Amino acid sequence: MNGREEAHGLSTRVLLAHVSRLARRRWRGLAWLQGAPQACCDAAGELWRAGTWRCPLWVAPALPPRVDAAHWLAPARARTRLGGEHDLLVIDAASDGAGFDPDAVAALVGTLKAGGLLVLMTPEEWGSRPDADYARLAEHPWRPEALTSRYLARLARLLSGADQVIRWRAGETPRLPGFPIRQAPAERPVTDEDCLTGDQAQAVARLARLRRRRPLVITADRGRGKSAALGIACARWLATGEQEVLVTAPRPSAVESLFERLAALCPQGERRGHLFTTDQGDVRFVAPDALAELARQGEAGGAGRLLLVDEAAAIPAAPLGEWLDAFPRIAFATTVHGYEGSGRGFALRFRERLERTTPEWRGLHLAEPIRWANDDPLEPLIHRLLMLDADPPESSSRPAGDVRQLSRDTLASDESSLRGLFGLLVQAHYRTTPSDLRLLLDGPGLTVGSVATGDVPLGVVMTADEGGFEAGLAERVARGERRPRGHLMAQSLAAHAGSRAALTGHLRRVVRIAVSPQRRREGLGRRLIEAELERARHDGCDLLGASFGAEPALMAFWRRQGFHALRLGLTRETATGEHALMVARATSKRGEALLASLAARFRRALPGLLAFELRDLAPSVAAALLAEGGGANLADDDRRDAEDVAAGHREPALARPALQALVRHALARGIPLADPDLLLLVAWGFQGLSGEALTRHLAVSGRRQATARLREATAMLLSISSPSATG
């Protein structure tokens, strides 16, 4: 045996002995393996082959030598292992073509069970330059190697200072952390034989007692058995005669644990894809966009119906609210600190709707881990590294200071400020991923602005520059022949509105904006946008724009800042259930012409889109878009036709153009966008709501009652739009 083999053998024995001690405490560990790529692979491979691992996993872009393909995973496929278990997890961030994928690491660490070891392979001087995974950040015309690597340098600094980390240089004996004197963690007794912890048993009991108009909101960190608890409850509902339970989540893989537990408890049942069926009843998964559509059409929900929403933090509040109205019995479950979204942000955004609609809702938090001990050292370490537990800082009542641009170099080295800013972003956005922290620190062309009181951030805005393509490239992109990385807004306006000028011009997009929940409605968001408008003018940008899920409150915010709608996605995003809306405001003379052209084109196309492709758009969203289309004057002929409809002298369908003009006029005079008469005429007049769909929408028995309701709505809008009304 040569010296190199002896070193590998000693390292392996030391690590396996340490793993045994971890297992006795039901802890997990992290070994940081540094060195040349081949040396790291050899050292990790020796450990891989020497241990009696039952379910190891090697994560790397390519299949390593002497590793069975069944135990290898490309980082991009990390989500396919959610719900699984591993006792050894090797993350290759050292080999050629390999890099550190924050989203993959966050997803897979939760699959590591007690006694498990995470081996993170990195090159020497990790953090001094970008790795291969930075190719995903390198928007045109940036090259990956030209980007900064603040994020990786931060990881290396935190790992170097962490007491829990096994420090292992390839070819050397690992340096092990100490094992502190430990007090046995308190554990609640488990009274349910199908459950693994007292918390999980309590969740199942609460679900079983789910009552009409009393929603249950379950929150938990990873590995607490939240989804499995939903599966146990489903089995018990079926056993007591429940005919159908609907389940939704951002993606099917999020509820794999639910179906696995359900199948284990109902061996007589059969699973076919996203459907589990027994003689007693069915449990069916429905994607959020499909469920929202079924609920709007009255084909899902109704008396006695039951819905479970898993990973609710990753779904916007609008569809959650629709389901809350449609399903008498409903439970929401979400991860508090995880890769799918922020449970804290979910609670902050959705609590108001719960209090207003179902004030008897109840919450339950699962704290006891199932796969590892309460005092496991790996979980808090990963939370700190990936900032999974970033919460918005406690806000003071002191006045906010001026908006200022932040240095990302300074931010990367100031953990407290970084955590506060990222916490604001997490709570404000329904889907903040671990890789968003890397984007914040190293995204090319990205700037960060903040408003604070002292050292406490109250608001944050992130912007990115787009466009500036040369004319030839712009033409090829507009024709669909090229698709450079990034430039979301510029490329979308070119592809869907045919605008070459959107590509050759200089655009700046608001990537994220967030304000502390305790300091909202104080004008801080407006101040952030005003500062960005001034900076865009100074920097020679043509447009300042944004893209977000079309929702009335958000649309109202941007409209108050003077932004105009330029494009709306024709389909709902599968994971969000919302249409993506792009808005912009001109910041130069060239921008004024570009904005006028894009906005006019969108307004011209909108009625046709609402009648066909967007006929199922929420009427409140349609009304907000129509409000930008003018209509200050109502022609005498249109007013006369509308008066005839209101008086019962003419069928509404024969005066549809006049009623459309009436809607636009009412919007121009400032009618509230939530006015039920307005929304009815928008849905009927622009979106073709008629026949059985109209009677079902109005909850009336037939066509005559529906027509009478249309006449009443017309009369109400006429009273608002009359020349004597003040508006």
Side-chain angles (χ1 to χ4, degrees):
M1 178 181 295
N2 60 37
R4 182 175 171 184
E5 291 173 338
E6 286 183 9
H8 283 166
L10 177 59
S11 296
T12 297
R13 290 192 297 273
V14 167
L15 288 170
L16 291 178
H18 186 75
V19 166
S20 297
R21 291 194 293 273
L22 289 172
R24 286 194 290 272
R25 295 195 176 202
R26 299 191 68 243
W27 284 3
R28 304 170 300 160
L30 187 154
W32 182 19
L33 174 57
Q34 292 178 278
Q38 189 58 54
C40 286
C41 287
D42 291 344
E46 181 69 23
L47 176 65
W48 177 279
R49 291 182 290 274
T52 55
W53 313 107
R54 299 183 60 183
C55 42
L57 184 67
W58 194 298
V59 182
L63 177 65
R66 302 176 67 183
V67 172
D68 191 294
H71 296 291
W72 163 72
L73 187 73
R77 300 186 62 244
R79 292 182 186 276
T80 65
R81 296 301 179 103
L82 296 176
E85 284 192 342
H86 302 100
D87 50 4
L88 176 64
L89 190 58
V90 177
I91 305 287
D92 183 359
S95 298
D96 292 340
F100 185 89
D101 182 338
D103 298 332
V105 174
L108 291 171
V109 166
T111 71
L112 195 64
K113 62 182 183 178
L117 185 66
L118 166 63
V119 178
L120 174 61
M121 297 165 38
T122 72
E124 295 281 4
E125 299 180 359
W126 191 42
S128 61
R129 59 186 179 277
D131 62 24
D133 201 61
Y134 271 61
R136 295 193 292 155
L137 280 183
E139 299 187 352
H140 174 83
W142 291 84
R143 301 186 315 279
E145 60 272 18
L147 303 184
T148 59
S149 55
R150 303 179 186 96
Y151 177 80
L152 296 181
R154 171 187 168 273
L155 291 179
R157 185 180 69 252
L158 292 179
L159 283 170
S160 297
D163 295 335
Q164 313 95 315
V165 173
I166 302 166
R167 291 174 177 78
W168 183 16
R169 291 194 176 275
E172 299 179 10
T173 304
R175 288 182 290 159
L176 304 179
F179 275 80
I181 298 174
R182 179 194 194 201
Q183 294 182 345
E187 295 183 356
R188 295 174 52 191
V190 183
T191 57
D192 189 321
E193 63 181 10
D194 293 329
C195 299
L196 296 176
T197 66
D199 277 1
Q200 191 181 55
Q202 185 181 11
V204 172
R206 295 279 289 274
L207 287 164
R209 298 195 303 268
L210 199 61
R211 296 292 181 264
R212 182 180 180 276
R213 310 307 296 165
R214 295 182 182 179
L216 178 64
V217 178
I218 300 173
T219 58
D221 275 322
R222 294 282 306 281
R224 268 61 180 179
K226 163 183 60 66
S227 297
L230 299 180
I232 297 169
C234 285
R236 296 186 181 176
W237 279 318
L238 294 180
T240 56
E242 193 75 45
Q243 293 186 349
E244 184 180 57
V245 180
L246 294 184
V247 177
T248 192
R251 54 181 55 81
S253 60
V255 291
E256 188 60 29
S257 296
L258 183 157
F259 281 102
E260 287 180 357
R261 198 73 186 100
L262 174 60
L265 294 173
C266 299
Q268 76 282 7
E270 180 184 3
R271 182 177 179 184
R272 298 192 298 272
H274 303 328
L275 173 68
F276 186 88
T277 181
T278 68
D279 292 338
Q280 291 81 21
D282 302 332
V283 177
R284 180 161 60 102
F285 173 85
V286 184
D289 59 337
L291 181 62
E293 184 62 29
L294 291 172
R296 292 186 192 100
Q297 295 178 357
E299 298 176 15
R305 301 301 296 277
L306 176 59
L307 173 66
L308 301 180
V309 184
D310 205 357
E311 297 302 350
I315 301 173
L320 295 177
E322 292 176 6
W323 303 333
L324 188 63
D325 294 336
F327 289 86
R329 292 182 295 160
I330 186 169
F332 303 93
T334 197
T335 304
V336 178
H337 303 122
Y339 56 90
E340 286 284 14
S342 164
R344 176 171 177 137
F346 160 76
L348 289 169
R349 293 188 301 274
F350 198 51
R351 182 183 295 272
E352 182 180 341
R353 179 65 179 266
L354 285 168
E355 296 285 4
R356 184 174 68 252
T357 307
T358 53
E360 294 188 70
W361 73 277
R362 293 293 180 267
L364 177 65
H365 182 69
L366 310 188
E368 293 179 73
I370 286 179
R371 288 181 177 153
W372 51 82
N374 274 324
D375 57 347
D376 166 64
L378 183 62
E379 183 174 54
L381 175 61
I382 292 297
H383 279 184
R384 189 161 66 252
L385 292 173
L386 303 184
M387 216 166 265
L388 296 179
D389 58 350
D391 288 329
E394 291 297 325
S395 175
S396 73
S397 58
R398 289 186 298 166
D402 295 331
V403 177
R404 60 190 182 93
Q405 294 297 303
L406 301 180
S407 160
R408 291 196 286 173
D409 286 331
T410 302
L411 199 56
S413 60
D414 184 347
E415 194 70 8
S416 176
S417 295
L418 180 62
R419 176 172 291 272
L421 282 177
F422 197 61
L424 286 178
L425 294 171
V426 166
Q427 60 81 27
H429 198 263
Y430 60 86
R431 176 163 295 173
T432 301
T433 66
S435 61
D436 285 330
L437 181 61
R438 182 176 64 179
L439 174 68
L440 171 65
L441 292 176
D442 293 321
L446 199 75
T447 58
V448 183
S450 174
V451 59
T453 175
D455 295 330
V456 180
L458 303 178
V460 57
V461 60
M462 294 167 53
T463 62
D465 288 343
E466 299 188 4
F469 291 12
E470 55 90 11
L473 176 59
E475 183 63 29
R476 292 193 295 275
V477 171
R479 293 200 303 256
E481 298 170 0
R482 286 283 307 276
R483 186 68 187 270
R485 182 178 291 276
H487 301 264
L488 166 71
M489 189 168 188
Q491 293 203 67
S492 180
L493 292 174
H496 300 281
S499 176
R500 277 68 170 170
L503 291 168
T504 57
H506 294 278
L507 281 60
R508 181 165 288 167
R509 178 169 60 91
V510 176
V511 178
R512 292 283 180 87
I513 181 170
V515 172
S516 171
Q518 294 85 16
R519 301 295 297 267
R520 288 179 182 164
R521 294 178 174 81
E522 295 183 15
L524 298 182
R526 172 183 53 78
R527 288 179 54 192
L528 288 167
I529 295 301
E530 287 176 348
E532 288 302 326
L533 284 165
E534 182 59 34
R535 197 168 65 87
R537 295 186 190 102
H538 178 271
D539 294 345
C541 296
D542 298 314
L543 296 179
L544 179 68
S547 177
F548 52 89
E551 181 269 320
L554 273 178
M555 296 171 70
F557 168 79
W558 288 100
R559 191 178 181 198
R560 286 195 300 271
Q561 315 315 316
F563 285 68
H564 298 273
L566 303 183
R567 178 184 176 265
L568 186 70
L570 298 184
T571 58
R572 299 177 187 274
E573 297 179 4
T574 301
T576 68
E578 292 181 341
H579 297 259
L581 177 66
M582 290 186 176
V583 298
R585 182 170 165 180
T587 52
S588 73
K589 286 293 183 182
R590 172 189 164 110
E592 290 174 3
L594 176 58
L595 180 69
S597 171
L598 291 169
R601 181 175 292 193
F602 178 68
R603 289 195 298 268
R604 187 167 62 249
L606 183 60
L609 294 174
L610 291 175
F612 294 97
E613 290 83 0
L614 294 174
R615 64 182 303 161
D616 295 322
L617 184 69
S620 56
V621 174
L625 295 172
L626 289 167
E628 295 190 27
N633 297 315
L634 183 64
D636 291 342
D637 287 349
D638 289 334
R639 182 179 298 278
R640 189 179 308 109
D641 288 348
E643 289 171 345
D644 285 348
V645 169
H649 303 321
R650 188 174 303 178
E651 282 293 313
L654 299 177
R656 193 182 304 270
L659 299 188
Q660 289 178 335
L662 177 63
V663 165
R664 291 185 181 276
H665 186 58
L667 287 167
R669 293 181 69 102
I671 186 173
L673 294 178
D675 184 276
D677 297 306
L678 170 74
L679 297 182
L680 172 59
L681 289 181
V682 167
W684 174 85
F686 288 90
Q687 298 179 269
L689 182 66
S690 61
E692 292 184 5
L694 177 61
T695 58
R696 186 169 58 247
H697 174 79
L698 294 171
V700 296
S701 58
R703 179 178 176 276
R704 180 175 297 178
Q705 291 87 344
T707 300
R709 184 68 190 86
L710 288 173
R711 296 189 193 282
E712 292 172 5
T714 301
M716 184 59 67
L717 261 66
L718 278 168
S719 69
I720 295 173
S721 303
S722 66
S724 60
T726 61

